[in-house]
Amino acid sequence: QVQLVESGGGSVQPGGSLRLSCAASGSIFSMGWYRQAPGKQRELVAGITRGGRTNYADSVKGRFTISRDNAKNTVYLQMNTLKPEDTAVYYCNEHPPRPGWGRGTQVTVSS
């Protein structure tokens, strides 16, 4: 089973940027970035097929960009113009997700 490791989270002020990375131990296909804020259900933020077709949650359209490097088995999430409501733990997984989640990476947006 392919292992996924998220990284790149941190604390930023509103309007700031972060770039998340998801490193896979093997070949990956359709992938997604998900997030879970305290007290809320986990939600899909962005998805990308192996061919590069993307989709986004309405709340992040125009601010977040998902991309991938198939040679490196890595998926990225560039997050710009961050808002406090983007605060959450971010996870990567297949899209649709398979059972089992990694540790995720914490993103905190606060002044």
Side-chain angles (χ1 to χ4, degrees):
Q1 189 174 7
V2 174
Q3 303 298 312
L4 303 170
V5 179
E6 305 95 341
S7 63
S11 295
V12 296
Q13 293 185 341
S17 298
L18 285 172
R19 189 193 194 204
L20 307 184
S21 298
C22 172
S25 60
S27 296
I28 51 179
F29 300 94
S30 289
M31 296 294 294
W33 279 101
Y34 303 79
R35 68 186 180 187
Q36 187 167 22
K40 295 187 177 181
Q41 289 190 331
R42 187 177 285 129
E43 63 175 349
L44 175 69
V45 174
I48 187 168
T49 66
R50 185 168 178 84
R53 182 174 296 179
T54 60
N55 64 283
Y56 297 92
D58 288 343
S59 59
V60 306
K61 282 180 180 177
R63 301 189 297 122
F64 290 11
T65 302
I66 189 171
S67 61
R68 64 190 294 159
D69 184 334
N70 290 333
K72 296 181 178 180
N73 293 326
T74 302
V75 180
Y76 305 97
L77 185 68
Q78 178 66 44
M79 305 186 296
N80 298 328
T81 319
L82 283 161
K83 303 176 180 180
E85 51 263 43
D86 295 318
T87 295
V89 179
Y90 285 70
Y91 303 87
C92 65
N93 202 331
E94 295 177 11
H95 177 38
R98 58 174 169 82
W101 295 84
R103 295 183 176 182
T105 185
Q106 176 71 47
V107 172
T108 302
V109 185
S110 174
S111 55

